[in-house]
Amino acid sequence: MPALHEGAHNPDYENITLAFRNKDQIKLSQSTPTKQAKFKPSLDTAPVPPWLHRSIMMLYVLLALIFLSCIVLSALVLVKNSQMSKELWTLKAELSNVSNAVWNIQELQNSQKDIWKAVQSGINEAKNKIAMAISNIQSGNDKLKTVTADITQIKRTLETLEKAQPKPSK
């Protein structure tokens, strides 16, 4: 530490620091141009009218208002989208309920068809049995018609046999 402070009062040290400073100043003076370009307005440009700045400012304000209205409209679209999404979910649930009801109705219709087929099969079987019974009754009726004729024939035969047989004496 003392070595650092010693150099500060040392004349050689002061000469070295001055030499570095002079070098930096020489470099700076060489790098800066000696002639500075002065801005000269060209003759063909007219002075800017004072209303131009106001008009440009109004355009910026209008642009900002348009940007804000776009943000507001975007927010409204998002809100409406959210509402429609909720409505679509409700419609989906209702459609699911209707679909389930239709499925249940179809199942009931299928079971009714099966029951109706069984009833028709039973009706056809009963018709066949009734037709058979009617046929049996008809054949029985036909036999009964011949029975009376047969009985009459038997009576005649018996009468002829009785007449042909001698009468026993008493």
Side-chain angles (χ1 to χ4, degrees):
M1 281 278 196
L4 289 176
H5 291 294
E6 276 177 27
H9 298 292
N10 190 347
D12 291 334
Y13 179 77
E14 287 177 8
N15 288 337
I16 291 173
T17 55
L18 283 176
F20 280 119
R21 283 185 195 157
N22 287 339
K23 252 188 191 179
D24 288 340
Q25 286 176 357
I26 291 171
K27 284 182 187 175
L28 284 175
S29 65
Q30 288 174 355
S31 66
T32 57
T34 55
K35 293 183 180 178
Q36 288 187 348
K38 292 184 180 178
F39 178 72
K40 294 181 183 179
S42 65
L43 299 175
D44 58 343
T45 58
V48 177
W51 56 267
L52 183 64
H53 293 292
R54 217 176 304 130
S55 299
I56 291 173
M57 190 56 105
M58 290 303 283
L59 286 174
Y60 280 129
V61 168
L62 183 62
L63 183 64
L65 288 175
I66 290 172
F67 182 70
L68 286 175
S69 65
C70 286
I71 291 173
V72 168
L73 286 175
S74 296
L76 288 175
V77 166
L78 286 175
V79 167
K80 191 66 174 176
N81 187 15
S82 173
Q83 289 173 349
M84 289 195 60
S85 177
K86 289 176 185 176
E87 289 174 7
L88 284 175
W89 278 107
T90 304
L91 280 173
K92 181 182 177 188
E94 289 175 4
L95 184 62
S96 177
N97 290 340
V98 169
S99 177
N100 289 338
V102 168
W103 178 259
N104 291 338
I105 289 171
Q106 285 178 343
E107 289 293 318
L108 288 173
Q109 285 178 343
N110 289 340
S111 65
Q112 283 178 344
K113 284 180 185 177
D114 293 341
I115 291 170
W116 182 246
K117 286 179 183 176
V119 166
Q120 290 228 331
S121 173
I123 289 172
N124 288 336
E125 190 176 321
K127 281 182 181 179
N128 290 338
K129 287 182 181 180
I130 290 172
M132 189 183 296
I134 289 174
S135 173
N136 288 342
I137 290 171
Q138 187 66 36
S139 71
N141 284 341
D142 290 343
K143 286 181 184 176
L144 282 177
K145 287 180 186 175
T146 61
V147 166
T148 56
D150 288 344
I151 290 176
T152 309
Q153 181 68 29
I154 291 172
K155 280 184 184 178
R156 284 187 198 148
T157 307
L158 281 175
E159 285 176 3
T160 49
L161 282 175
E162 278 181 11
K163 288 183 187 175
Q165 257 186 354
K167 287 192 180 186
S169 36
K170 291 195 180 181

